[in-house]
C-alpha cells in the first residue's frame, strides 16, 4: 500500500483530533488528497499511526469547513470546488475582510503593527528568493514560505480586529480555498501585486484609516479572486490539452 501521509507525532500540546485535522487539511492543500478522492478512515488511521476516532472527528470538522463532503451510502470525498463555490466564498470573505481591516485600524497595537511591517519585509525577501530560484525545488521551497508567511500576515490582521467570532468565520472561509493559494500566487505578476496590496492595507491601518483599510481589503480580495479564476482556467486548459495528446498518442497495439 502506498504511504502518502506521514505518521502523526504524538508530542504535540494540541488535542490529537486537531493534529490529525491539520495533517489532513495540509494533505488536501498540497494535493496529496485530491478533489473527488474518497476518504477511507481505516487507511488514513493506519498511515497516520492513530486510531479511527480522531480521524473520524477530524473528518467531521473538515466537512464543516467545506474541505470534504459526506455522501449518504457512498462515503466521504475530498470536496471539489466549482466556479460558483469560489464566487460565493469570495463574496462573503470580501465583506468580512473589509470589516476586519476596518476594526484592525481601530484596535491594533503598536507591537502588532510592527509585526505586520516586519512580515512585509520577510515576504519581499521570499519573493526575491522565488524569482532567483535556480531550479524547481528552490522555487517550490520559496513559494511554500511565501504562502506560510502570507497566512501569518492575515491571521495577525484578523486578531487585531479584536472580534473572535469574526476570526473564526473568516478563517473557515479561507481554509476552504487554501488548496488554491499556491496556484493563485504562481500566476505571473501576482506575488508583487499581492505585496503591494498588503502594503496599502498596512499603511491605512497604521494611519488609523478604517475606511481606507476597508477599501484596500476589498481591492485585495477582488484581485485575488480574478487571479485565481484565471490561473484555474489555464490549469484546466493544460490538463485538457495533455489528455487529448495522451489520447491521440498511438498505443503499442495500434502500432
Amino acid at each position: 500500500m502506498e504511504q502518502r501521509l506521514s505518521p502523526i507525532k504524538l508530542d504535540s500540546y494540541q488535542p490529537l483530533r486537531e493534529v490529525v485535522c491539520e495533517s489532513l487539511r495540509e494533505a488536501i492543500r498540497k494535493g496529496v488528497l485530491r478533489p473527488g478522492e474518497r476518504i477511507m478512515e481505516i487507511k488514513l488511521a493506519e498511515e497516520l499511526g492513530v486510531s479511527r476516532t480522531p480521524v473520524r472527528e477530524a473528518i467531521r470538522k473538515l466537512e464543516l469547513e467545506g474541505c470534504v463532503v459526506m455522501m449518504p451510502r457512498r462515503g466521504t470525498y475530498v470536496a471539489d470546488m466549482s466556479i460558483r463555490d469560489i464566487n460565493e466564498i469570495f463574496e462573503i470573505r470580501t465583506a468580512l475582510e473589509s470589516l476586519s481591516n476596518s476594526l484592525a485600524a481601530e484596535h491594533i497595537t503598536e507591537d502588532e503593527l510592527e509585526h505586520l511591517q516586519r512580515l512585509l519585509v520577510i515576504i519581499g525577501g521570499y519573493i526575491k528568493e522565488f524569482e532567483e530560484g535556480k531550479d524547481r525545488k528552490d522555487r517550490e521551497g520559496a513559494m511554500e514560505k511565501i504562502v506560510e508567511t502570507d497566512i501569518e500576515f492575515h491571521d495577525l490582521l484578523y486578531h487585531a480586529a479584536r472580534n473572535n467570532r469574526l476570526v473564526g468565520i473568516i478563517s473557515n472561509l479561507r481554509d476552504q480555498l487554501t488548496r488554491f493559494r499556491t496556484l493563485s500566487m504562481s500566476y505571473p505578476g501576482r506575488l508583487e501585486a499581492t505585496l503591494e496590496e498588503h502594503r496599502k492595507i498596512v499603511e491605512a491601518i497604521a494611519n488609523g484609516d478604517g475606511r481606507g483599510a476597508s477599501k484596500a481589503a476589498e481591492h485585495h480580495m477582488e484581485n485575488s479572486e480574478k487571479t485565481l479564476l484565471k490561473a484555474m482556467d489555464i490549469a484546466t486548459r493544460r490538463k485538457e490539452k495533455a489528455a487529448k495528446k495522451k489520447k491521440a498518442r498511438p498505443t503499442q497495439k495500434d502500432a
Side-chain angles (χ1 to χ4, degrees), residues 159-171:
H159 286 286
R162 302 292 183 268
N163 187 316
N164 292 332
R165 284 183 174 81
L166 182 60
V167 171
I169 296 170
I170 298 180
S171 296

Side-chain angles (χ1 to χ4, degrees), residues 179-187 227-228 231-233 235:
R179 78 185 78 166
F180 301 110
R181 191 175 288 260
T182 298
L183 176 64
S184 178
M185 290 285 201
S186 299
Y187 190 83
T227 303
L228 174 57
M232 288 178 67
D233 181 56

Side-chain angles (χ1 to χ4, degrees), residues 90-100 166 214 218 221:
F90 268 105
E91 188 172 39
I92 301 169
R93 189 177 165 192
T94 298
L96 296 181
E97 292 271 354
S98 175
L99 173 60
S100 175
L166 182 60
S214 176
E218 291 172 5
M221 285 294 102

